[in-house]
Amino acid sequence: MTRDILERRQVWVYVAAIAAGVAVGASVPQAAPLFEALLWPCLAFLLFVTFTQVPLVALPAALRDARFMTVVLIGNFVLLPLLVAALLPLLPDDPAVRLGVLLVLLVPCTDWFITFTHQAGGDTRRAIAVTPVVLIVQILLLPLYLWVFMGEGLGDVVSVPTMMAVFLLVIALPLAAAYATERWVARGAGREVLVWRLGWLPVPLLALVLFFIGASQVEAVEAALPLVGDVSAVFVLFFIGAVLLGIAGGRVFRLPVAEMRTLVFSFATRNSFVVLPLALALPAEWAAAAVVIVLQSVVELLGVLVLLWLVPRILSFHTLN
């Protein structure tokens, strides 16, 4: 199996992993603490591997591409949060569900977005260049967005010391290690093969993370099942809206076809597994937030399968000329 085939079929791998995890967790509920303990180092390693695929050393190049960078930042951090605000009233009146939706929809993707852009014939070079900027901006803005949408009551739920510890150990440390790895690779001939080999790992590692979540959070998964329909509908509406905003933004800024395709995937894909550790660190009664984030990733991947077929047809050189 090639890496391309693995990535194209990843959604089915993830669904199978979640189902297997729930089945195992329901069969041996006493093993839930063990699965939860294994989840954290696996998640940290997943983020390290994922961050190695983000060209952090390409940051200066991204800042020179002002037009494309402008539309990416305006869309992801102004227009899409407004879309999220418009969709919030459609959600169940459950604070944990709403927090999970906010966490996942307010952060643009920085990993498989590049892969999907390449598969759809987008501008992969620009996708690679803007990714580190998008990652940094979302880390800075996410606390502000959560405060705006959830209000001061969020402080009664979120333990700042716990969240800071999770951020440092599971997000910041893997990010720093990935940057150090990229610098090491850049200083020696032949070392780039390490990054290429690590690129095989995100799919199986993510499947393992989802298995551990299913096995350790059976009660949360079962409790969230009645909400799946309503929440999934919001995720579908967000996906459609993001795609339409991507097309509109590309036309307004008169982007070339390849850049428009890149913009569509930047808007439509979210950074679900970067915010997942933050959801998992919430109190037990807020466990639905993590389940919602996993659900979003499944809905998104199914949508991307359609988008990979659709985008080259609706955003072609023939139709825009």
Side-chain angles (χ1 to χ4, degrees), residues 99-119:
L99 179 55
V101 169
L102 290 171
L103 280 170
V104 71
L105 293 187
L106 292 172
V107 288
C109 185
T110 56
D111 41 60
W112 58 39
F113 146 66
I114 299 174
T115 299
F116 296 144
T117 295
H118 171 71
Q119 291 175 353

Side-chain angles (χ1 to χ4, degrees), residues 112-288:
W112 58 39
F113 146 66
I114 299 174
T115 299
F116 296 144
T117 295
H118 171 71
Q119 291 175 353
D123 191 327
T124 307
R125 183 180 65 82
R126 279 184 168 80
I128 290 172
V130 302
T131 295
V133 178
V134 168
L135 179 62
I136 292 170
V137 173
Q138 68 183 248
I139 290 174
L140 295 175
L141 289 183
L142 182 59
L144 174 62
Y145 284 142
L146 293 180
W147 179 79
V148 169
F149 281 106
M150 297 290 290
E152 295 180 359
L154 185 63
D156 299 331
V157 177
V158 175
S159 167
V160 175
T162 299
M163 286 297 176
M164 285 300 299
V166 170
F167 176 79
L168 291 174
L169 294 175
V170 186
I171 299 177
L173 187 59
L175 181 61
Y179 178 73
T181 300
E182 288 186 30
R183 292 294 301 270
W184 177 80
V185 167
R187 288 197 296 266
R191 294 178 180 178
E192 64 277 0
V193 69
L194 173 64
V195 174
W196 181 83
R197 288 173 178 170
L198 289 173
W200 277 84
L201 297 181
V203 173
L205 279 174
L206 181 48
L208 189 58
V209 164
L210 293 175
F211 173 84
F212 287 146
I213 290 174
S216 63
Q217 308 289 329
V218 173
E219 292 184 3
V221 172
E222 291 176 346
L225 286 179
L227 307 175
V228 165
D230 291 339
V231 178
S232 295
V234 168
F235 288 147
V236 170
L237 289 174
F238 174 86
F239 189 86
I240 294 171
V243 170
L244 294 177
L245 284 173
I247 295 172
R251 292 184 182 277
V252 168
F253 279 77
R254 298 184 179 276
L255 298 179
V257 172
E259 291 183 32
M260 287 183 66
R261 294 177 181 178
T262 305
L263 188 67
V264 167
F265 280 95
S266 175
F267 286 8
T269 55
R270 305 286 91 190
N271 230 0
S272 50
F273 296 103
V274 170
V275 295
L276 182 60
L278 302 179
L280 290 169
L282 293 169
E285 58 269 24
W286 289 69

